[in-house]
């Protein structure tokens, strides 16, 4: 199993200096990946929680970290496709793949917050079909000399988009509904679970993705299954504790159970702990706890 760690992108601890400290320390300790996530807007009065109140752009953050690291892979889980054109995102990700030396892992999703769709000028409806067409256009821009496309959602006159990525970044799809899981099996290099995933039953969703891959004539054994580990460091022995919440030893045991369920990658994300990823949290205390977790949970 590959173990990753999320860099500070949400709340008071998400400063450039702390991003660098976490990414470099993760690289030193042998973590396979560092990860980010996207939140475009926070609607006034929304109950989604403090983790989404103040979030840095993931592509800019990873581009910054590409220049201060050399080995660790750089992931985003996820970019929501409806909020950008495939041509724009293809260009940005190609450049990020180049400046990082081919270390990029691209998670793509459809989005779920209506206000973000409204702000992006995109209808909320038919976003699944939009996403499939987006992926098709993205991959063509990364591989074909001249791309011409006229689809339901996107249109390209005959165009060049260069340079091409020397190696195409893996595309990992999010989403928890069965149709989204089957889409990942048919189209993607893997699947990324959501922050609210029931990790005790994640093997059921992995099975659906693999089944869809087999039906499409693809090798399910080649797919990656990435879990955003909403990791909360707490006292040991709590009754009814959630997976990845508890002592370091309990969390390591949870990671082993996830591997047995078919997960190939877990990244520990402290941004989703309201005691850390909140605008009101003490950033020095958040970093102290993060550095302790980096050491204790290292591969």
């Amino acid at each position: 199993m590959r173990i990753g760690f999320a860099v500070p992108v949400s709340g008071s601890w998400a400063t450039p200096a702390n991003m660098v400290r976490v990414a470099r320390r993760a690289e030193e300790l042998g973590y396979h990946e560092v990860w980010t996530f996207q939140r475009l807007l926070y609607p006034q009065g929304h109950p989604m929680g403090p983790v989404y109140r103040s979030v840095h752009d993931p592509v800019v953050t990873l581009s910054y970290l590409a220049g201060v690291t050399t080995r660790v892979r750089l992931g985003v889980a996820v970019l929501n496709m409806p909020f950008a054109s495939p041509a724009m995102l293809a260009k940005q990700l190609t450049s990020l793949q180049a400046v990082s030396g081919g270390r990029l892992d691209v998670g793509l999703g459809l989005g779920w917050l209506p206000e973000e769709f409204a702000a992006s000028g995109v209808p909320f409806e038919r976003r699944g079909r939009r996403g499939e067409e987006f992926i098709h256009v993205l991959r063509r821009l990364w591989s074909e000399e001249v791309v011409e496309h006229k689809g339901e959602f996107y249109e390209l006159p005959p165009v060049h988009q260069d340079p091409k990525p020397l190696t195409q970044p893996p595309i990992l799809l999010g989403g928890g509904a069965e149709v989204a899981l089957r889409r990942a099996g048919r189209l993607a290099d893997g699947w990324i679970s959501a922050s609210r995933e029931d990790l005790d039953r994640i093997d059921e969703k992995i099975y659906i993705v693999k089944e869809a891959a087999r039906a499409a004539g693809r090798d399910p054994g080649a797919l990656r299954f990435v879990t955003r580990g909403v990791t909360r460091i707490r006292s040991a022995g709590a009754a009814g504790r959630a997976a990845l919440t508890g002592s370091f030893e309990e969390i390591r045991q949870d990671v082993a159970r996830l591997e047995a369920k078919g997960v190939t990658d877990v990244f520990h994300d402290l941004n989703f702990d309201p005691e850390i990823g909140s605008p009101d949290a003490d950033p020095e205390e958040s970093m102290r706890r993060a550095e302790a977790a980096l050491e204790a949970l290292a591969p």
Side-chain angles (χ1 to χ4, degrees), residues 86-88 90-91 94 133-151 154-165 168:
M88 176 64 77
K91 174 66 74 173
T94 294
E133 186 177 333
F134 189 107
I135 294 166
H136 174 69
V137 175
L138 183 73
R139 283 182 163 149
R140 290 188 65 195
L141 287 164
W142 279 346
S143 60
E144 297 180 18
E145 180 60 32
V146 178
V147 179
E148 182 176 8
H149 177 83
K150 186 172 180 62
Y154 303 105
E155 183 174 348
L156 292 175
V159 295
H160 301 272
Q161 190 180 77
D162 295 308
K164 309 291 184 198
Q168 290 190 27

Side-chain angles (χ1 to χ4, degrees), residues 4 13 29 58 62-63 70 99-100 107 117 122 129 181 197 217 235 243 259 274 277:
W13 76 316
L29 291 169
L62 293 180
S63 300
T70 58
V99 300
S100 69
F117 283 80
V122 180
R129 290 169 62 183
L181 299 171
E197 190 65 54
S235 299
E259 183 174 18

Side-chain angles (χ1 to χ4, degrees), residues 217-235:
R218 307 180 70 213
D219 177 11
L223 300 181
R224 291 170 61 187
F225 295 92
V226 181
T227 290
R228 176 187 297 285
V230 177
T231 301
R232 298 182 175 97
I233 313 303
R234 301 291 189 268
S235 299

Side-chain angles (χ1 to χ4, degrees), residues 69-293:
T69 57
T70 58
R71 179 200 57 80
V72 71
R73 293 192 65 81
L74 307 169
V76 52
V78 295
L79 294 168
N80 291 305
M81 294 178 279
F83 306 157
S85 74
M88 176 64 77
L89 194 61
K91 174 66 74 173
Q92 290 177 322
L93 297 179
T94 294
S95 295
L96 179 48
Q97 179 76 329
V99 300
S100 69
R103 293 184 282 140
L104 181 60
D105 289 329
V106 179
L108 298 177
L110 299 176
W112 56 269
L113 188 63
E115 290 87 346
E116 291 181 327
F117 283 80
S120 301
V122 180
F124 192 76
E125 297 74 23
R126 297 183 299 163
R127 57 194 186 279
R129 290 169 62 183
R130 178 184 292 274
E132 292 205 18
E133 186 177 333
F134 189 107
I135 294 166
H136 174 69
V137 175
L138 183 73
R139 283 182 163 149
R140 290 188 65 195
L141 287 164
W142 279 346
S143 60
E144 297 180 18
E145 180 60 32
V146 178
V147 179
E148 182 176 8
H149 177 83
K150 186 172 180 62
E152 183 178 0
F153 303 97
Y154 303 105
E155 183 174 348
L156 292 175
V159 295
H160 301 272
Q161 190 180 77
D162 295 308
K164 309 291 184 198
L166 294 179
T167 56
Q168 290 190 27
I171 291 178
L172 311 166
L173 290 183
E178 183 171 343
V179 64
L181 299 171
R182 294 192 177 280
R183 182 182 299 118
R186 286 189 292 109
L187 300 178
D189 299 302
W191 173 66
I192 299 177
S193 67
S195 60
R196 297 184 180 181
E197 190 65 54
D198 181 355
L199 299 184
D200 292 329
R201 302 180 64 182
I202 196 169
D203 52 326
E204 298 173 12
K205 292 187 175 179
I206 291 173
Y207 176 83
I208 294 172
V209 176
K210 288 184 173 182
E211 183 184 60
R214 289 189 193 96
R218 307 180 70 213
D219 177 11
L223 300 181
R224 291 170 61 187
F225 295 92
V226 181
T227 290
R228 176 187 297 285
V230 177
T231 301
R232 298 182 175 97
I233 313 303
R234 301 291 189 268
S235 299
R241 71 177 185 87
L244 302 177
T245 295
S247 68
F248 291 130
E249 181 57 31
E250 288 173 327
I251 291 168
R252 284 193 292 267
Q253 292 172 5
D254 291 338
V255 169
R257 282 190 284 271
L258 288 171
E259 183 174 18
K261 290 178 178 291
V263 172
T264 62
D265 302 62
V266 171
F267 66 95
H268 296 289
D269 196 340
L270 275 59
N271 289 288
F272 283 77
D273 183 344
E275 296 181 6
I276 293 177
S278 165
D280 299 322
D282 179 350
E284 292 186 5
E285 174 64 11
S286 296
M287 277 301 296
R288 186 195 67 76
R289 294 169 65 178
E291 289 176 326

Side-chain angles (χ1 to χ4, degrees), residues 1-34:
M1 173 176 286
R2 292 177 286 265
I3 306 297
F5 206 91
V7 297
V9 291
S10 175
S12 59
W13 76 316
T15 67
N18 287 346
M19 293 172 186
V20 172
R21 284 171 64 186
V22 169
R24 284 179 167 167
R25 190 63 184 135
E27 186 168 73
E28 291 170 359
L29 291 169
Y31 283 86
H32 187 261
E33 308 139 350
V34 292

